[in-house]
């Protein structure tokens, strides 16, 4: 069983930065593919970023490319999402997700077995 706990959300003004963290309570964190999704009110959950267990293979949604950076610290069992140049349209609940396996379907929320409780990010104009 994998438990994920997000932190780092908050309310900021447009142009500001936030860093989200997701701590995984699992011994085999190195084998996990990790991702961030977000869900705005009245909208479907959407893919934000994905990172596999090793070097390379990082993917971003077009809407965040160049502004957000996903990274992971395997020693700490934690994945991060550095969010810069935030926009009001980034307002959403951000969820950390995890799965074992390949990168196939990395942008599909149904591909992930484990989810955190979510952390709210609010960006005002």
């Amino acid at each position: 069983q994998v438990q994920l706990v997000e932190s780092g959300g908050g309310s900021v003004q447009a142009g500001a930065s936030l860093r989200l963290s997701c701590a995984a309570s699992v011994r085999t964190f190195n084998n996990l593919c990790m991702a961030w999704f977000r869900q705005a009110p009245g909208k479907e959950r959407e893919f934000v970023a994905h990172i596999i267990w090793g070097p390379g293979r990082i993917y971003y949604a077009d809407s965040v490319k160049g502004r957000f950076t996903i990274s992971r610290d395997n020693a700490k069992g934690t994945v991060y999402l550095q969010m810069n140049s935030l926009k009001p349209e980034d307002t959403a609940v951000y969820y950390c997700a995890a799965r074992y396996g390949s990168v196939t379907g990395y942008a599909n929320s149904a591909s992930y077995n484990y989810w955190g409780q979510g952390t709210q990010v609010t960006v005002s104009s």
Side-chain angles (χ1 to χ4, degrees), residues 36 49 58 60 64 66-71 80-84:
W36 288 96
I58 292 176
Y60 296 100
V64 306
R67 298 188 299 122
F68 290 12
T69 302
I70 188 172
S71 62
Y80 305 97
L81 185 68
Q82 178 66 44
M83 305 185 295
N84 298 329

Side-chain angles (χ1 to χ4, degrees), residues 20-41:
L20 306 182
S21 299
C22 172
S25 58
V26 62
R27 292 183 178 180
T28 55
F29 181 78
N30 291 15
N31 297 336
L32 286 171
C33 293
M34 304 295 298
W36 288 96
F37 285 77
R38 66 186 182 186
Q39 188 166 19

